Amino acid sequence: MFQARIYNLIVPALLEHEELASSGMYVQKSINRSGSISERDTPSPTEKEIHTLIKEMSNIETMFRMHKLDDEFVYQFFKQIYYFIGTVSMNNLVVRKDLCNNNKAMQIIYNISNMEQFIREHNIPNREDVKAQLNGISQASKL
């Protein structure tokens, strides 16, 4: 089942993934034992999670296109998957206090925009309805 394959990727991909931080927009610094300040240049453990999630969805979309499935089926599938992603993300956002700050909100919104970009690039039918499934997590992250 596809939901089981992506379940463990959702929270690291949407809520914990820090591509903005790794792009240099936010430079994280740490204090060494000697007291000097150094920039953190080791990649985050969740650095590739969003790309893995998008790759999984891309693989399934390619399979759908290969088998020439009806656009209505493709639309329903991605609408339900995006609903599932939004629900799992919202549940985790509500219970995790460490995700409730402005920096994380910008990162979450950026990660959501990557998910929306997937819909546009792959010409998913009724893309506005599919994107709407992530509106709740987007709005909640701004609070």
Side-chain angles (χ1 to χ4, degrees), residues 43-111:
S44 166
T46 62
E47 190 169 327
K48 300 293 182 200
E49 297 296 338
I50 188 82
H51 305 294
T52 306
L53 178 60
I54 289 174
K55 183 178 178 185
E56 286 288 333
M57 292 191 334
S58 182
N59 290 341
I60 198 84
E61 191 269 341
T62 302
M63 185 181 67
F64 287 169
R65 299 292 178 202
M66 269 182 19
H67 293 290
K68 299 186 185 321
L69 293 180
D70 187 42
D71 281 348
E72 185 65 27
F73 177 82
V74 174
Y75 158 69
Q76 285 295 326
F77 176 83
F78 280 102
K79 184 176 178 183
Q80 290 178 12
I81 288 298
Y82 270 59
Y83 178 80
F84 177 69
I85 290 170
T87 304
V88 170
S89 299
M90 179 68 84
N91 288 341
N92 281 277
L93 182 66
V94 169
V95 298
R96 291 186 50 189
K97 190 176 183 178
D98 64 318
L99 299 174
C100 298
N101 61 55
N102 287 335
N103 288 342
K104 278 293 186 186
M106 287 186 355
Q107 290 171 358
I108 292 168
I109 291 168
Y110 178 75
N111 294 337

Side-chain angles (χ1 to χ4, degrees), residues 57 61 65 71-83 112-135:
M57 292 191 334
E61 191 269 341
R65 299 292 178 202
D71 281 348
E72 185 65 27
F73 177 82
V74 174
Y75 158 69
Q76 285 295 326
F77 176 83
F78 280 102
K79 184 176 178 183
Q80 290 178 12
I81 288 298
Y82 270 59
Y83 178 80
I112 290 171
S113 72
N114 284 335
M115 300 294 290
E116 292 172 350
Q117 182 178 353
F118 168 83
I119 296 170
R120 285 189 301 274
E121 288 176 353
H122 291 271
N123 295 321
I124 304 298
N126 301 325
R127 67 181 68 136
E128 293 304 318
D129 288 343
V130 177
K131 283 181 5 182
Q133 304 307 310
L134 297 178
N135 284 347

Side-chain angles (χ1 to χ4, degrees), residues 10-61:
I10 294 172
V11 172
L14 256 63
L15 302 180
E16 297 172 351
H17 179 70
E18 298 181 356
E19 191 164 320
L20 288 177
S22 65
S23 70
M25 187 171 186
Y26 296 104
V27 177
Q28 295 184 352
K29 297 182 179 184
S30 60
I31 299 175
N32 295 333
R33 287 186 178 174
S34 64
S36 64
I37 298 175
S38 66
E39 292 183 1
R40 187 185 128 204
D41 45 342
T42 57
S44 166
T46 62
E47 190 169 327
K48 300 293 182 200
E49 297 296 338
I50 188 82
H51 305 294
T52 306
L53 178 60
I54 289 174
K55 183 178 178 185
E56 286 288 333
M57 292 191 334
S58 182
N59 290 341
I60 198 84
E61 191 269 341

